[in-house]
Amino acid sequence: MRLSVVDAGSNTVRLVIADVEGGVPLPVHTVKWKLRLSEHVGPDGAIADEAVESLVQAVAAAGATARRWHATGPLAFATAVVRGAPNRQEVLRRVAAGTGIRMCTLPGETEAELTFLAARRWLGWHAGPLAVLDIGGGSLEAAFGRGRLPDFAASLPLGARRLTQEHLGLQDPPGPEELKELRRRIRHDLRDVAARIRWEAPRTAAVSSRTFQQLARLCGAAPGRYGPFVRREMRCEDLGEAVRRLAALPCAERALLPGISAPRAEQSLAGAVVGHTALKLMGLRRVVVLPWAIREGVLLRYLEDGADWWTEVTGGVEAAGPATGTTLRIAGPPA
């Protein structure tokens, strides 16, 4: 059986095609389109018309690619940049009309649950009580649990691109006051979530997302060309040093550092600050850097819970209003 999933994020639209025999999503083909949707958002959060058209074209190309590879789907979703847009319904309607693919937006806490599931399946049960963090362009997801799905999941408006736009625009590199205000904002928003995870005292902490992967490379982790099965870890102490290195350089020079790509150089500092602050507040001295994230979580949940799960998700979330601020879920016993 071959499935496909499309993820429309703040920077890119990504297609993953995977063979799923035996219940494990093994990638056979991946493609990405660099749209940088977050750069085409108006003051009110609405996505500009030309950016919506680019999104429609990318999703159509993803659907055509999936068909060429004889994959079912794609299961298509958009993250915070679309989820929080006041014209979200129009964006989703145009994608459906232009591609025949029904894209949905997932609540932030659902994204956290799916990333947690991917982490649990990658690390296995020996990881024990597990905390998982994921930094996107628009939001930070955090989850903790002892079972297959988390007992606690939260989504906070602390994405790397969002924080860059809101706090780091006056100087390049930013001045001490900008960084001080950024840290104050992060500590304030993270206070309750961090206290909960610190109280739970996870045995294992893991991070996912392209932002964390690039920061881990800057901190000395093995490069991506070594493949997904090389264990990669990152220490809070090393991430703190990465913050200092990034803060001392203008944006153009950050892209010369190991692991930092040119398209993400501008937001790399905000990503490092939110990641380091989160680890410190949560008492996490070391984290495992995961190759799996939300896309694999979607595939795993689809495999384990069936097509009805995805139908319920896509049918239930589009009618909801745009997500703003913090979303939080405290679950009952894990499934």
Side-chain angles (χ1 to χ4, degrees), residues 108-109 112-113 140-144 152-156 193 326-329:
E109 66 272 21
E113 290 177 355
L140 165 70
E141 275 69 54
F144 170 84
F152 166 86
S155 180
L156 301 158
V193 171
T326 302
T327 55
L328 175 68
R329 185 191 66 82

Side-chain angles (χ1 to χ4, degrees), residues 205-286:
V207 296
S208 68
S209 76
R210 188 62 176 156
T211 294
F212 268 128
Q213 289 172 353
Q214 292 198 0
L215 291 172
R217 178 72 186 100
L218 179 60
C219 291
R225 67 178 180 272
Y226 288 11
F229 298 112
V230 173
R231 185 173 178 87
R232 295 173 173 87
E233 294 186 344
M234 180 170 57
R235 299 188 306 166
C236 180
E237 178 183 356
D238 294 335
L239 186 53
E241 178 58 31
V243 170
R244 290 185 283 274
R245 293 179 67 186
L246 292 165
L249 297 174
C251 178
E253 293 184 25
R254 293 177 202 154
L256 303 177
L257 296 174
I260 305 300
S261 65
R264 292 178 181 267
E266 183 183 15
Q267 69 184 55
S268 61
L269 174 58
V273 174
V274 70
H276 181 245
T277 304
L279 297 189
K280 285 184 65 178
L281 291 178
M282 295 173 185
L284 305 175
R285 301 177 63 181
R286 184 185 298 270

